[in-house]
Amino acid sequence: MTIKWYPGHMSKALEQISELVRKIDVIIEVLDARLPFSSSNHLLEQVRRNKPCIKVLNKNDLADPAITRAWVQHFQKASGVRALPLVAKNIPEVKNLVKLIKQVCPNRGNPGYPIRTMVVGIPNVGKSTLINTLAGKSLAKVGDKPAVTLKPQQIDLRNGILLFDTPGLLWPVMDDQGGAYRLAASGAIGANALDYTNVGVFAAAYMMRRYPELLKERYKLAELPELPYEVVEAVGRCLGCLMTGGVVDVHRAAETFLRELRAGKAGRISFEEPGTAADIEAELLKMAGIDERPQEQIF
């Protein structure tokens, strides 16, 4: 199954951001720390206009710490880019973001000259949660489904920072199916655009390769099955996803498995790391029985 998902309002959101960025001093791009490349809107670089950019690696408490450190180093090699791992609900960590905003824009932040910041991010990375924490109250809608924010909002944080919220947007063409499946595994793609069994099998293939011990520990497996599909079945048996006669309900097992990975119940994992090559991506897709393969190295 090829994953394609690009709600119509997201095209308009990109147009709004392109226009708004002319008035912005600092761009804050909220990413999922577990998949910072795939959760980045790569079109943003086309409209950024060399403005300072802070890449917030949200959900840091769910990501593999060593891989997150590698991503911070990777991003900060780019001119004008800073990276900050945090948890959007953690007030002390978000205060560090405020300090960083003022550091990258030292000539503004005085009365009458606020630092004009814009928060962007694909759906379901925690953008609205971050805005609410920055504001100290509930201003932006928060939901567990993608695409809750539908139009830009202007928020005065009353600390020298003026914040512009924007609709969540996702890249328009998912040519990299490995990235698309990672987004689906993380919960960033709407449920109506994916097949839970396929995505669950893909996630199992990745876990077999990168975190086999976590799989065995969480689901009480003495040895891993040979195939990712069999891993999903083993997870289903462990979690009681059974139909009449003790047959595993694979769809429910895959959905439950993905829910567990998203909640961190199998441990702190990252779905990608800097330098992942196309041949590894192709191998994972092949293991999962998915024909669409990325054509080149993606990072």
Side-chain angles (χ1 to χ4, degrees), residues 39-251:
S39 63
S40 175
N41 186 318
H42 311 303
L43 297 175
L44 180 63
E45 288 303 311
Q46 299 176 19
V47 300
R48 183 181 147 205
R49 298 175 179 272
N50 296 318
K51 299 290 178 74
C53 180
I54 298 174
K55 292 186 181 288
V56 170
L57 306 183
N58 188 31
K59 306 183 183 181
N60 181 47
D61 56 331
L62 299 175
D64 185 321
I67 295 180
T68 298
R69 288 192 293 271
W71 276 112
V72 170
Q73 295 174 359
H74 173 79
F75 283 129
Q76 294 191 159
K77 291 177 182 177
S79 176
V81 175
R82 302 289 295 274
L84 181 66
L86 55 71
V87 177
K89 292 182 180 180
N90 188 305
I91 295 175
E93 291 183 1
V94 172
K95 286 183 177 179
N96 290 333
L97 173 60
V98 172
K99 293 178 183 177
L100 185 55
I101 292 170
K102 294 180 177 181
Q103 286 176 14
V104 300
C105 197
N107 297 324
R108 296 189 67 95
N110 300 316
Y113 296 93
I115 302 173
R116 298 160 300 183
T117 65
M118 177 173 63
V119 181
V120 299
I122 72 167
N124 216 29
V125 291
K127 183 167 60 74
S128 295
T129 300
L130 178 64
I131 289 170
N132 290 338
T133 304
L134 282 166
K137 56 184 176 180
S138 181
L139 294 174
K141 292 182 180 180
V142 177
D144 60 359
K145 295 182 179 180
V148 173
T149 305
L150 295 179
K151 61 182 180 179
Q153 304 178 66
Q154 180 176 315
I155 304 164
D156 187 349
L157 299 183
R158 303 189 182 280
N159 58 2
I161 298 174
L162 188 62
L163 195 67
F164 291 86
D165 180 20
T166 58
L169 67 150
L170 196 67
W171 51 8
V173 181
M174 291 189 178
D175 289 334
D176 169 24
Q177 281 294 289
Y181 271 84
R182 287 192 296 275
L183 284 166
S186 76
I189 292 178
N192 60 343
L194 59 89
D195 181 304
Y196 274 110
T197 300
N198 281 350
V199 176
V201 171
F202 175 83
Y206 178 77
M207 291 291 291
M208 291 172 69
R209 184 182 183 94
R210 190 66 179 78
Y211 299 104
E213 296 306 315
L214 292 181
L215 267 182
K216 289 192 285 187
E217 180 179 354
R218 173 62 182 171
Y219 302 109
K220 302 177 177 60
L221 302 173
E223 297 293 336
L224 287 180
E226 183 177 347
L227 300 175
Y229 186 88
E230 295 171 340
V231 169
V232 174
E233 288 184 316
V235 170
R237 281 190 291 271
C238 177
L239 299 179
C241 301
L242 304 175
M243 299 184 292
T244 303
V247 177
V248 175
D249 184 336
V250 176
H251 176 89

